[in-house]
Amino acid sequence: MKIVPLSDVPQFADQIIDWQWRAFGEASSRAFFASVVNSSLAGADFPVTFVAVEAGRAIGTVGFWRCDLISRQDLYPWLAALYVDESARGKGVSEALQQHVIAYAQARGYPRLWLWSTFGGYYERSGWLPQGEALEYPDKPVKLYYRDL
Ligand SMILES: CC(C)(COP(=O)(O)OP(=O)(O)OC[C@H]1O[C@@H](n2cnc3c(N)ncnc32)[C@H](O)[C@@H]1OP(=O)(O)O)[C@@H](O)C(=O)NCCC(=O)NCCS
């Protein structure tokens, strides 16, 4: 498996948009995820979309975003939109994608990385520290995590 920026493998953009939309979106929000993913191809510092590729197939994705929680714009950058294809789960692909973003953020000199999740007990296993709850727009309580780099 290798992990590369989406700009190296743009043929997987539609696949990643569909994964994000189905995992994190509402019925009508495919265009929202298309905007995030397509804007990550513009060459700006944020957002960056990474893709895990194995045997010529995309098996997972993760984002490095400027903002993933509009109620907490004091916090950045974020590890966001982590997704592993169902056929590839339980083999540590998620861990590898997390480590890739951690190293990427570290190499750019950021002192701290953030993420939020609707579930607990998972990210703690990879060394993320809980930082209480926050609100996903407009009123969904979520768990906030960080790690120092
Ligand atoms: C969460 C996810 C990225 C994990 O990918 P993965 O490559 O299978 O991860 P790993 O192999 O490192 O770890 C698998 C572990 O994650 C746990 N896990 C997955 N989803 C979970 C959830 N919703 N709640 C708690 N634990 C969860 C599995 O139970 C498994 O635990 P085990 O090791 O005790 O069996 C993947 O299940 C996924 O894409 N889910 C849908 C999208 C999503 O929820 N993304 C995270 C948003 S914060």
Side-chain angles (χ1 to χ4, degrees):
M1 181 189 73
K2 59 180 179 169
I3 297 174
V4 295
L6 179 62
S7 52
D8 287 3
V9 286
Q11 69 271 26
F12 295 128
D14 280 345
Q15 170 74 81
I16 287 164
I17 292 163
D18 283 338
W19 279 342
Q20 292 186 0
W21 171 42
R22 295 205 175 101
F24 310 122
E26 309 292 333
S28 62
S29 62
R30 189 180 191 279
F32 174 89
F33 293 95
S35 177
V36 173
V37 171
N38 289 330
S39 66
S40 76
L41 292 169
D45 290 346
F46 297 100
V48 182
T49 302
F50 293 102
V51 190
V53 180
E54 189 174 64
R57 200 169 68 89
I59 59 169
T61 184
V62 68
F64 178 64
W65 290 12
R66 186 197 307 272
C67 177
D68 192 25
L69 204 55
I70 56 176
S71 64
R72 292 303 304 269
Q73 297 186 43
D74 54 321
L75 310 178
Y76 76 99
W78 296 80
L79 181 152
L82 173 64
Y83 184 91
V84 174
D85 186 55
E86 283 179 20
S87 66
R89 288 187 189 165
K91 300 176 189 166
V93 176
S94 161
E95 181 70 34
L97 286 163
Q98 290 174 53
Q99 288 303 326
H100 194 82
V101 172
I102 290 163
Y104 185 87
Q106 208 164 25
R108 276 149 191 80
Y110 292 102
R112 188 170 275 194
L113 187 62
W114 295 88
L115 69 76
W116 66 260
S117 178
T118 52
F119 52 87
Y122 176 63
Y123 289 104
E124 290 88 338
R125 285 161 40 184
S126 310
W128 294 86
L129 300 170
Q131 178 82 348
E133 288 201 337
L135 284 179
E136 161 72 339
Y137 179 84
D139 58 3
K140 181 169 80 175
V142 296
K143 296 177 192 311
L144 196 55
Y145 292 91
Y146 75 95
R147 68 192 301 144
D148 289 326
L149 302 175

